[in-house]
Amino acid sequence: MSLKTRLFGPEWRGRDAVQRARAVATAADPELFEALPGIATSDPQAEVRLAALRRMNDESAWRQAHRDDPADSVRDAARHALLQRLLETEDDTDNAARVAWLIALDDREALKRAARKARSSALRGAVLETLSAPGFLGDCAVTEADDELAEALIRRIEQVSTLERIAPELKKRSKRRHQALLKRLNTLAHGESGPNAGHQARLQLVAQAERLARGELRGDRRTLAETLHQQWQALASDADAALSTRFEGAMRIVEQALAAPAERPPTRPEPERESAPALPAELLELAERATALATRALDDESAAALNPLISSFDRFRNQHPSPDPAMQAEFTRIQALIGELQARIEARRSVAPPATAESHDEPATEPAAGASQDARPDPGASIQPLLEQAGQTLDEGNLQQAWSLLGQARRAIDKLDAKRRPHKLVAELGRLNARLREMRDWLHWSNNELRERLIERVGEIDVEQLHPDAVTARLKELRGRWSELETAERMPGDKRRNAAPQGQWRRFQKACQQAFDAARPYLEQRSEAREQSLTDLKQFIDQARAVLADEARGPDDLLRYQRAAREGIRNLDAVPPRKRGEMATALRKLMDKLSARLDEHFRAAEDEKRRLIAEARKLAHESDRARAIDQAKALQAEWKKAGRGRRKVDDKLWREFREPIDPLFEDLKKERDQRSAEQTAQREAMNALCEQAEALADADDPVEAGGRLAGVRDELSALGRLPPAIQKRFDQALAQHRDKLSEARQADTRQRQSRLAELAETVQAAWAAMLDGHTLAEASPETPTDETGADGAGDESARLLHERLAALRAAASSEALAQRFAKHAEAAREVVIEMECISGLETPAVDKDQRMAVQVRRLSERLGHGSARPDLGAEREQLRRRWLASFPRDPDVHKELDRRYREAERILDQMSRGG
């Protein structure tokens, strides 16, 4: 454990929330792992609790945090983590708690996502048990990876339309699931038990087939027909002949009507029927063109494309005078679509009945009284053109005009005496009426198909993803299409108010209302926001008018309000539409007034700047350049104070102002550049000398480098005052040289002291040998190098030791020198005691009194002289000289005194280095 941790505790317990969160997320403290549950629930900072939750990554802890944590960020993170774990886990031990959490979440999209994408099939099944929407269950039955779970979903679906919708997809994907679906359909049709269940089921299938033949069933007719075939085959083994005949007859009608597959929405692909006869490619292309024109919005391009379609269709029909039933059915369908288009175009153009048609409001013209029977006009003379024109109009597909013409012809015939009515014209009228009814029925059937598609398209509007304006625009478009179908199908004088079936119209209204209700909250909120924007805009206009009334306001304020007014005009769509014109007018008037005020300010500023330009041109005659530059700077300051003018004028004036001033500053810039170059060269020279100084500071011989370093210092001084960085660099080099020189001198001193100590030991050894009765020649101790020659003459200690060694060599016996050296032992003892006093070492008991005397003497000397404590280095050097001067001494005390001296010397050496 670090010192910081011992003093302040672990970071995950600190006061700083950021450090605490970081420590919780990364620290490897075993105590932290035990404390994580408590941190996740009780720490006051949300980021720390979240870090603890992520460090534990425990599902139950995440659930508790999602339920109880007060911070939205922690709950959102817990929700995301739980959803992710729920989708990725393969462990089924806690599925009940997971499903309960999902249900409590009250998020249907999360439930659906788990039902589809959870990795665990058991979890998917548990989630699906909570859902009951037939459409979603059907989609899951198609995409589910587990066959058993998919079959269980199929068995739960109660809605036949859903089963019929997914039947084609299941047939492609899985035979097993498709069989389960057919079985479910049979079960829904007649139940699972009962004595007459099979017969009742066949009766229901026959009824559904006949309704399909009459066009009363909703959905994809081809898919419904195929499903009915499959169900009948599963039940027809013991069917009676009457039911079989009815079923086959109804299905034959359906097959003939759907021989050519109609266009379906892309979300419900139609399966191909192998039994349907092949149709010519040109006919299929014509059908596709007619369907495309009929299903898109009516415009001029649609009207222009209709005539080429009619010509191509007539040419193809003339090339096939004897079509087969399938081709004839396709002919009829295309003709109905063309008639629908013509009716829509005619309704769009609002074309009136032709002038040649006889108005039913005019009374019939009676023959002149007294005219003979032979002079009466032919009764069919006025009717035949009406019938011919009606036939031609039917060929063109204009049902409304044909209806009007046939009505006029019928009324004209009704006015004739029954005996004088031309039977041929009556028959022709009946044939045309029958043809009109047939075309109208086909048009009604086709329009009902189109209406179903419109209802589906209303349901396909994604109100969650689309902008509400796009939703309302789409609804308006689809309602317009519905109205066009109504107009195209309603005949003149028709008593029916609506051509569409009431149930279909109600479903369309309900779908539109649901889509609009989804967008309504946004539209209401936007209306409130627009009202607020209108209030803000009015307040802004009032503020701008107050600024205009204040003469003290400068151009900056006026420009700011002018820009804001322009922005307000660009954003007028943020106010209610009814007020946009009024607000636009107010903003334009405001901008005009602002522009007028700004022009006044601009003109004043421009006049002032023209005056400054005239002053600047006078600078060319100023002989003193420094004075001219000062005046130019003053003019520039006045230019800034003059304010801004109109952009183009201001730019032009600025160029004129700079023309006489720029040359002055260019010359000044050249001088500055020259000085800068000289300073750069000087700095480079200084850096080069610093590099030389650094090299000399690192030289092996600091004594020799010292002289050269002094020369470098003189050269630097000659260059002038050094910049702080260069001065610091040179000072560092000097300090490095001083340190190296000091180390060299210290090493030399240590070497000299070592030689002196060796010489002293030589003297002591010679004296000890002489005391033992040996002559110096017999002892022949090694004599060190002469210190006088080695260290340089003048070293008093070396000279004294050499003298005593010479005296020892010259003496014949020890008696002659004993009295001379008798006091050396006491002198050495006194030196040792003083060194022990200084170093703080203990003195042997035998010398306690002498140490006390030494201490008293040293204190008296300092007090008597009034001096401070002497320098430790100088005092050591003095004691060292006295120690060397005490050689030779009595061998009996020399060893102990030498040991005590060395110990004290070691302590004093440590004290010197520490100080």
Side-chain angles (χ1 to χ4, degrees):
M1 183 181 294
S2 66
L3 178 61
K4 180 179 178 181
T5 303
R6 287 198 299 269
L7 291 176
F8 302 104
E11 288 188 352
W12 55 272
R13 287 181 176 172
R15 295 183 179 180
D16 191 323
V18 176
Q19 293 182 356
R20 198 161 70 248
R22 182 172 60 249
V24 168
T26 59
D29 188 354
E31 187 179 355
L32 169 63
F33 296 138
E34 297 178 0
L36 282 176
I39 295 173
T41 56
S42 60
D43 194 277
Q45 295 297 326
E47 58 268 27
V48 181
R49 298 197 301 274
L50 186 56
L53 288 168
R54 287 173 175 163
R55 192 71 182 272
M56 290 190 298
N57 198 21
D58 181 70
E59 188 171 353
S60 59
W62 280 120
R63 279 202 291 268
Q64 182 181 357
H66 182 265
R67 183 182 65 249
D68 301 333
D69 198 278
D72 293 340
S73 59
V74 178
R75 292 198 301 274
D76 291 342
R79 182 181 185 275
H80 177 75
L82 286 170
L83 285 175
Q84 196 65 25
R85 288 176 65 93
L86 187 140
L87 295 178
E88 296 177 355
T89 186
E90 295 181 355
D91 183 13
D92 297 332
T93 56
D94 202 18
N95 281 350
R98 296 186 183 112
V99 175
W101 177 79
L102 268 176
I103 294 173
L105 196 61
D106 195 19
D107 187 344
R108 196 162 189 82
E109 291 302 320
L111 275 171
K112 290 182 178 181
R113 186 180 178 192
R116 282 180 169 172
K117 297 184 178 181
R119 186 174 297 179
S120 169
S121 60
L123 180 58
R124 291 198 305 273
V127 174
L128 285 167
E129 287 292 333
T130 66
L131 298 172
S132 59
F136 179 73
L137 295 180
D139 294 337
C140 291
V142 175
T143 59
E144 174 59 48
D146 191 331
D147 286 336
E148 294 183 359
L149 182 55
E151 292 177 12
L153 291 176
I154 292 172
R155 289 192 295 270
R156 289 178 55 196
I157 298 175
E158 301 287 342
Q159 192 169 325
V160 176
S161 59
T162 300
L163 295 172
E164 292 172 345
R165 176 175 63 84
I166 66 174
E169 190 67 23
L170 286 181
K171 185 177 180 182
K172 295 185 209 176
R173 289 173 175 253
S174 171
K175 182 177 179 181
R176 175 179 173 181
R177 299 186 192 182
H178 188 253
Q179 292 295 330
L181 183 141
L182 294 178
K183 183 177 179 182
R184 179 58 178 166
L185 283 172
N186 290 332
T187 301
L188 292 175
H190 56 77
E192 297 181 354
S193 62
N196 298 322
H199 180 69
Q200 293 297 328
R202 285 188 289 274
L203 282 175
Q204 291 184 6
L205 289 178
V206 170
Q208 290 181 11
E210 291 174 347
R211 290 180 63 197
L212 181 61
R214 292 193 299 270
E216 297 176 359
L217 291 183
R218 292 181 55 202
D220 186 355
R221 297 188 176 186
R222 190 174 299 279
T223 303
L224 293 173
E226 186 173 353
T227 303
L228 288 174
H229 268 297
Q230 294 171 351
Q231 295 177 354
W232 181 263
Q233 291 174 2
L235 297 173
S237 58
D238 55 348
D240 55 20
L243 288 179
S244 298
T245 302
R246 286 176 60 188
F247 181 81
E248 292 172 0
M251 296 308 295
R252 189 160 47 250
I253 294 173
V254 174
E255 290 175 1
Q256 290 176 358
L258 301 178
E263 180 189 6
R264 301 303 297 167
T267 56
R268 296 187 181 180
E270 294 181 355
E272 298 180 357
R273 289 183 56 83
E274 300 178 356
S275 60
L279 295 174
E282 185 178 357
L283 181 59
L284 293 177
E285 182 184 357
L286 290 171
E288 183 178 358
R289 288 169 58 189
T291 305
L293 287 175
T295 56
R296 77 181 188 183
L298 189 61
D299 52 13
D300 294 337
E301 185 179 353
S302 302
L306 180 59
N307 290 332
L309 174 63
I310 294 174
S311 300
S312 301
F313 176 63
D314 290 341
R315 184 173 58 254
F316 183 86
R317 188 167 54 178
N318 294 333
Q319 293 174 357
H320 300 79
S322 302
D324 55 28
M327 190 178 296
Q328 180 61 45
E330 193 66 6
F331 282 172
T332 305
R333 194 175 75 87
I334 295 175
Q335 189 171 358
L337 292 174
I338 291 174
E340 173 202 353
L341 283 167
Q342 289 177 330
R344 290 167 60 190
I345 293 171
E346 191 66 24
R348 186 168 179 262
R349 294 175 179 172
S350 300
V351 176
T356 57
E358 184 180 0
S359 174
H360 62 275
D361 294 329
E362 298 178 0
T365 303
E366 296 292 339
S372 64
Q373 293 292 332
D374 296 335
R376 291 183 180 180
D378 183 7
S382 61
I383 299 174
Q384 183 65 35
L386 293 176
L387 295 178
E388 291 177 356
Q389 190 174 359
Q392 182 179 358
T393 307
L394 282 175
D395 291 338
E396 294 173 356
N398 193 339
L399 301 187
Q400 283 88 353
Q401 189 173 352
W403 175 281
S404 178
L405 293 171
L406 291 176
Q408 296 175 35
R410 183 175 60 255
R411 285 189 294 273
I413 292 175
D414 291 341
K415 291 177 182 179
L416 296 176
D417 187 12
K419 296 180 180 180
R420 299 184 66 248
R421 291 174 184 173
H423 297 288
K424 182 178 180 181
L425 296 181
V426 173
E428 179 66 16
L429 177 63
R431 186 184 68 79
L432 292 176
N433 276 326
R435 183 179 173 193
L436 175 62
R437 284 194 299 272
E438 180 183 7
M439 292 183 67
R440 185 179 181 183
D441 291 341
W442 274 106
L443 177 61
H444 182 68
W445 175 83
S446 176
N447 285 350
N448 284 344
E449 288 288 307
L450 295 175
R451 291 186 185 98
E452 288 295 333
R453 296 181 192 177
L454 290 177
I455 294 173
E456 293 175 359
R457 290 179 184 178
V458 172
E460 292 169 0
I461 296 177
D462 192 350
V463 295
E464 295 182 359
Q465 299 296 329
L466 288 177
H467 191 276
D469 285 342
V471 173
T472 55
R474 182 61 173 157
L475 289 176
K476 185 176 180 181
E477 176 190 352
L478 295 175
R479 282 185 173 276
R481 293 292 311 281
W482 187 282
S483 179
E484 288 178 5
L485 295 178
E486 290 288 307
T487 303
E489 193 173 340
R490 192 180 301 116
M491 300 301 170
D494 199 346
K495 296 181 179 180
R496 293 186 303 172
R497 296 183 58 186
N498 297 312
Q502 286 298 318
Q504 200 175 40
W505 167 247
R506 285 192 295 270
R507 287 190 289 110
F508 179 73
Q509 283 287 79
K510 182 179 179 181
C512 291
Q513 188 63 39
Q514 289 176 349
F516 182 77
D517 288 343
R520 186 193 301 275
Y522 167 80
L523 297 176
E524 293 175 351
Q525 185 177 3
R526 185 178 65 180
S527 179
E528 295 176 0
R530 284 178 172 174
E531 291 294 337
Q532 183 61 41
S533 299
L534 177 61
T535 303
D536 296 341
L537 185 56
K538 289 180 178 179
Q539 292 177 355
F540 164 75
I541 293 175
D542 293 338
Q543 292 174 1
R545 289 170 179 167
V547 170
L548 279 170
D550 188 358
E551 296 293 337
R553 291 298 185 107
D556 291 338
D557 292 338
L558 298 175
L559 281 171
R560 181 163 58 88
Y561 277 93
Q562 188 183 54
R563 295 192 190 100
R566 289 173 183 167
E567 188 68 21
I569 288 180
R570 285 194 291 268
N571 295 325
L572 280 176
D573 56 345
V575 302
R578 68 182 185 281
K579 291 290 185 179
R580 290 173 186 172
E582 178 185 345
M583 291 297 102
T585 302
L587 287 171
R588 290 191 183 96
K589 290 181 180 179
L590 176 64
M591 290 176 62
D592 292 340
K593 294 180 180 179
L594 288 169
S595 297
R597 281 284 303 278
L598 283 170
D599 288 341
E600 295 177 3
H601 286 283
F602 289 158
R603 280 193 296 270
E606 290 163 4
D607 293 341
E608 176 65 15
K609 289 182 177 180
R610 289 189 180 94
R611 185 189 67 80
L612 294 175
I613 292 172
E615 294 292 331
R617 286 172 179 166
K618 296 178 182 178
L619 297 177
H621 306 291
E622 181 64 48
S623 57
D624 188 352
R625 194 184 62 172
R627 183 178 178 183
I629 290 175
D630 291 339
Q631 292 178 0
K633 291 180 179 178
L635 291 175
Q636 286 179 334
E638 292 183 29
W639 184 278
K640 292 181 179 178
K641 294 178 182 179
R644 70 180 70 184
R646 287 163 291 192
R647 182 182 296 274
K648 293 183 179 179
V649 178
D650 212 26
D651 292 343
K652 180 182 177 182
L653 294 176
W654 173 246
R655 289 192 295 269
E656 294 178 6
F657 179 71
R658 289 184 55 183
E659 184 177 352
I661 290 179
D662 284 350
L664 296 174
F665 289 102
E666 288 176 359
D667 294 341
L668 183 62
K669 183 177 181 299
K670 290 179 181 178
E671 292 180 1
R672 289 177 178 173
D673 292 344
Q674 184 178 358
R675 287 198 299 270
S676 178
E678 293 174 355
Q679 291 174 357
T680 301
Q682 186 179 18
R683 184 179 292 272
E684 291 177 354
M686 291 177 177
N687 285 325
L689 290 174
C690 282
E691 291 177 359
Q692 294 182 21
E694 291 169 349
L696 292 173
D698 197 34
D700 295 335
D701 189 354
V703 178
E704 180 183 357
R708 296 169 60 189
L709 192 59
V712 171
R713 180 172 55 194
D714 294 339
E715 292 182 22
L716 276 174
S717 300
L719 292 177
R721 183 178 179 182
L722 301 180
I726 296 179
Q727 182 67 54
K728 181 179 179 181
R729 184 178 176 185
F730 183 71
D731 291 343
Q732 289 176 348
L734 289 179
Q736 183 180 357
H737 175 262
R738 285 195 298 269
D739 293 343
K740 199 162 187 179
L741 184 62
S742 176
E743 290 177 359
R745 288 175 178 173
Q746 290 176 3
D748 187 41
T749 299
R750 287 193 297 271
Q751 186 177 7
R752 178 177 59 80
Q753 291 175 355
S754 176
R755 286 196 297 268
L756 287 174
E758 186 178 355
L759 178 60
E761 288 298 328
T762 300
V763 172
Q764 180 66 31
W767 175 243
M770 184 173 285
L771 290 177
D772 289 340
H774 302 287
T775 62
L776 191 59
E778 294 175 350
S780 65
E782 296 182 0
T783 303
T785 304
D786 189 356
E787 284 299 318
T788 304
D791 293 73
D795 191 300
E796 184 65 23
S797 297
R799 184 187 62 75
L800 181 61
L801 289 173
H802 278 291
E803 288 179 355
R804 289 178 181 174
L805 183 61
L808 288 173
R809 289 174 176 171
S813 64
S814 60
E815 288 81 2
L817 298 174
Q819 186 176 2
R820 179 180 174 183
F821 298 154
K823 296 182 180 180
H824 285 184
E826 289 303 320
R829 186 181 301 277
E830 185 175 355
V831 170
V832 169
I833 291 173
E834 288 188 33
M835 292 184 69
E836 288 174 344
C837 290
I838 297 172
S839 63
L841 290 175
E842 291 290 336
T843 301
V846 67
D847 296 333
K848 287 289 185 181
D849 295 339
Q850 190 173 355
R851 174 168 178 165
M852 181 64 69
V854 169
Q855 289 176 336
V856 171
R857 178 176 56 78
R858 286 171 58 84
L859 180 60
S860 299
E861 289 177 354
R862 285 202 297 273
L863 295 175
H865 292 84
S867 61
R869 184 175 179 178
D871 179 65
L872 180 61
E875 193 171 8
R876 286 184 63 192
E877 184 64 24
Q878 183 182 4
L879 291 171
R880 189 179 293 112
R881 289 180 180 275
R882 288 169 56 192
W883 173 260
L884 293 174
S886 68
F887 282 91
R889 61 182 73 96
D890 185 2
D892 294 336
V893 298
H894 168 70
K895 185 174 182 181
E896 177 63 19
L897 291 176
D898 186 69
R899 181 190 66 76
R900 291 167 61 186
Y901 174 81
R902 292 179 184 277
E903 181 65 18
E905 179 71 15
R906 183 180 65 80
I907 298 299
L908 292 177
D909 188 57
Q910 293 178 356
M911 292 171 62
S912 298
R913 288 198 298 270

